[in-house]
Amino acid sequence: ARLISLWIYVLPFALYDAFGGSWNHIAMIPAASVISLCIFGIEELAIELEEPFTILPMQGFCDKIGANCDEIVSWAGDATATV
């Protein structure tokens, strides 16, 4: 993220000559904004793809699975006692 931030900070200097035809280089501001939005969006997407389960309540899921397993184990104990 640091390298991307540095790249975004230097981007207006790289775009300066490309937007020389616009009045006072004013078109460079929305262009740099759109480019930075796309770049940071791709970075956020990459983070989510790298760790897809960070947004899920995994502890709650594991607790529920453990409770279900404990319940199933208690059924097996009752079945052997009645047979």
Side-chain angles (χ1 to χ4, degrees):
R2 292 179 193 162
L3 180 64
I4 292 174
S5 297
L6 178 66
W7 191 83
I8 294 297
Y9 290 142
V10 179
L11 181 64
F13 297 111
L15 294 177
Y16 188 79
D17 287 337
F19 286 95
S22 66
W23 177 80
N24 201 13
H25 302 279
I26 199 73
M28 187 172 57
I29 296 170
S33 299
V34 168
I35 291 170
S36 64
L37 180 71
C38 291
I39 295 295
F40 282 127
I42 291 170
E43 173 67 16
E44 187 64 30
L45 181 64
I47 290 171
E48 288 299 320
L49 287 174
E50 185 177 319
E51 296 181 23
F53 300 114
T54 57
I55 59 172
L56 296 175
M58 294 304 290
Q59 187 62 41
F61 290 158
C62 293
D63 291 342
K64 185 67 173 174
I65 291 170
N68 290 341
C69 290
D70 290 340
E71 184 180 352
I72 291 170
V73 168
S74 71
W75 292 344
D78 294 341
T80 57
T82 58
V83 173

